[in-house]
Structure formats: C-alpha cells, structure tokens
Amino acid sequence: MPNRRLAIVTGTSSGIGEKVARQLLQRGWEVAGIARRAGAMETPGYVHCSLDLADVARLPSSLETRLGSRVRDRGLTRLALVNNAADVALLGQVDQLEPTGMLQAYAVNTIAPVLLMGWVLRTALPDIPVRIVNVSSGAAVEPYPGLGAYGNTKAALRLAGMVLAAELDLRAAGGSPRDATVWSYEPGVVATPMQEAVRSAPAKTVPIVQIFKDMAAQGQLRPADLPATEIVSYLEADGHPRFSEQRFLLS
C-alpha cells in the first residue's frame, strides 16, 4: 500500500512553519499550509489555505470546506498537525496590555490550535496514526517580562494538549484506543521574523529585550531549519508517550 502522509501546518509563510513544510515535502509528505498570506512554495504536494486563524468562529467550517475530504481520505497512512502560527504582536508589561490585542493573541495562539486539534481528531479516520505538535515557548513556563500575553496564550495551549492527552487515555481505557500523540515543543530562540519583532521593541515594552539583542549579536539564535528537523522527526516516529514536551528555559 502506498505510504501517503498528510501534514497540516500553520504559519507556513515564513520561519519554522515554512521550513517544516519544505522538509516534509522533500520527504514525500503531502502538506496543507495555513496562513493569511501564501509563501513561495509552488511545489507538487503542497496546497495553501489562506485562512485568518483569528477568525475562530468561521474556522471549523473553513477547515471542512478546504481540507475535510483530504483528511478523511482512506488512502492516508499518517496524519500530522503542526500548530506553529502565533501572534506575538501584543508585547508589553502586564499592566500595559489592552483587551482587543489580548483577544487577538488568544484567538491565534490558543483557540485556533485547540479547534484544529479537535477538528483533526474528529475528522480523521480512527485507525490513522495522528501526530500533533504544538509549538510552544519558554514563556509558557517561565515569566518573561514584557511577554506576558504571549506566554499566557502558550501556557494555555500547553495545558490543552495535556488535557487532550489525558482524555485520549481515558477513552483508550474504556475500549476506544487510538494512535494519537501530542508534543509540546519549545524550539528555543530562533532566527525568525517573530524574533525580529521582539528585538525591535523598546525596553519599556519588553524589559528583557537586551537579552535577545545580545543573543542575536553573538550568533546564538537557532536557524529555523534545526527546530523544523526536530518536528519532522517527531511526526515520522512511533512509540511516543501520549503527551510529551521539549523544554527550553532562557535562564
């Protein structure tokens, strides 16, 4: 039987998401990329879905229209979801945050990934192995001044992945086992447009901004290819715990 593998990757227009998509395509995967703007991937096996992840009310119906038949395809041998897209635009100390920006950040960073996890598991055939990677951050587990809103959204997504894993374990104990696993992955400080945005913030907004500037100046940022390779390795492997995580702490 042909080995047909499909990955849904968010944030494929740049950074880690683009590198993940390219590596998967090189390894024979089919890739559905989700981003507001299309990247430069005119490649067989790649389909781009121009969706606004902040529009969470329309997201489930949009996913069904664009990707439903692909995910239900009986010819698939493996299905992956990489929740990579994130909104880091809301920078600032906690007492400076404004509600509209917080709603946007939670929509893109937490609600959309949770909806995607649920939609993939409901839509995929139950006998297809499913691998989910939620790209997280050290800010989800450690207080980084100026990154409070971003860290909160990533912490919420981390816990959602843990709860989903516990729910899958309960179903398995009740007689409905499924080969589905979740990885909360902290890539470290990576050379991406998102990191550039953080480094351009003033110190009154992100008090620790000099740390990131120094890391960039000293060549300590990780190239996006490295975390992409780690993510692809997880997606292709078996024997994972139901939930696992890779941690990166700045301190």
Side-chain angles (χ1 to χ4, degrees):
M1 184 175 68
N3 187 23
R4 285 192 53 217
R5 302 168 295 176
L6 171 65
I8 300 171
V9 184
T10 67
T12 50
S13 57
S14 64
I16 295 173
E18 179 186 3
K19 298 299 185 182
V20 168
R22 291 190 183 279
Q23 289 190 24
L24 288 170
L25 289 165
Q26 291 169 1
R27 297 180 64 82
W29 285 69
E30 299 171 28
V31 177
I34 298 177
R36 284 178 296 179
R37 56 187 177 87
M41 277 180 282
E42 299 292 335
T43 306
Y46 179 81
V47 59
H48 187 78
C49 301
S50 294
L51 300 178
D52 183 359
L53 293 175
D55 190 359
V56 293
R58 296 184 183 179
L59 184 57
S61 61
S62 297
L63 290 169
E64 180 59 36
T65 300
R66 301 294 299 275
L67 297 174
S69 61
R70 290 176 180 267
V71 171
R72 280 189 290 270
D73 190 332
R74 293 188 175 277
L76 290 180
T77 57
R78 184 172 292 249
L79 181 62
L81 168 65
V82 181
N83 278 316
N84 163 74
D87 186 337
V88 76
L90 184 64
L91 299 171
Q93 300 184 54
V94 169
D95 60 358
Q96 300 169 357
L97 298 176
E98 47 88 20
T100 302
M102 288 188 70
L103 289 171
Q104 167 90 9
Y106 270 98
V108 174
N109 299 357
T110 308
I111 300 173
V114 170
L115 289 176
L116 274 159
M117 289 193 292
W119 181 81
V120 163
L121 288 171
R122 291 194 308 273
T123 306
L125 298 177
D127 58 341
I128 300 298
V130 177
R131 299 289 176 265
I132 297 172
V133 176
N134 292 326
V135 178
S136 190
S137 168
V141 294
E142 189 175 26
Y144 293 171
L147 299 180
Y150 178 70
N152 283 340
T153 63
K154 288 297 190 178
L157 178 58
R158 174 176 176 262
L159 185 58
M162 297 172 74
V163 173
L164 174 59
E167 292 166 348
L168 290 169
D169 277 340
L170 277 177
R171 294 173 198 171
S176 299
R178 188 165 190 178
D179 183 3
T181 63
V182 181
W183 193 31
S184 179
Y185 171 74
E186 299 171 22
V189 185
V190 184
T192 63
M194 181 182 295
Q195 232 301 303
E196 292 176 11
V198 174
R199 294 199 306 275
S200 67
K204 66 179 181 180
T205 300
V206 180
I208 61 170
V209 67
Q210 192 60 45
I211 294 175
F212 299 115
K213 290 180 178 180
D214 291 344
M215 292 181 72
Q218 296 165 13
Q220 295 178 353
L221 302 185
R222 300 186 76 199
D225 277 323
L226 293 182
T229 298
E230 293 172 344
I231 290 170
V232 170
S233 295
Y234 177 89
L235 299 180
E236 294 189 336
D238 294 318
H240 301 302
R242 183 75 75 185
F243 175 86
S244 56
E245 61 183 330
Q246 175 166 306
R247 301 280 299 277
F248 174 87
L249 299 180
L250 193 60
S251 61

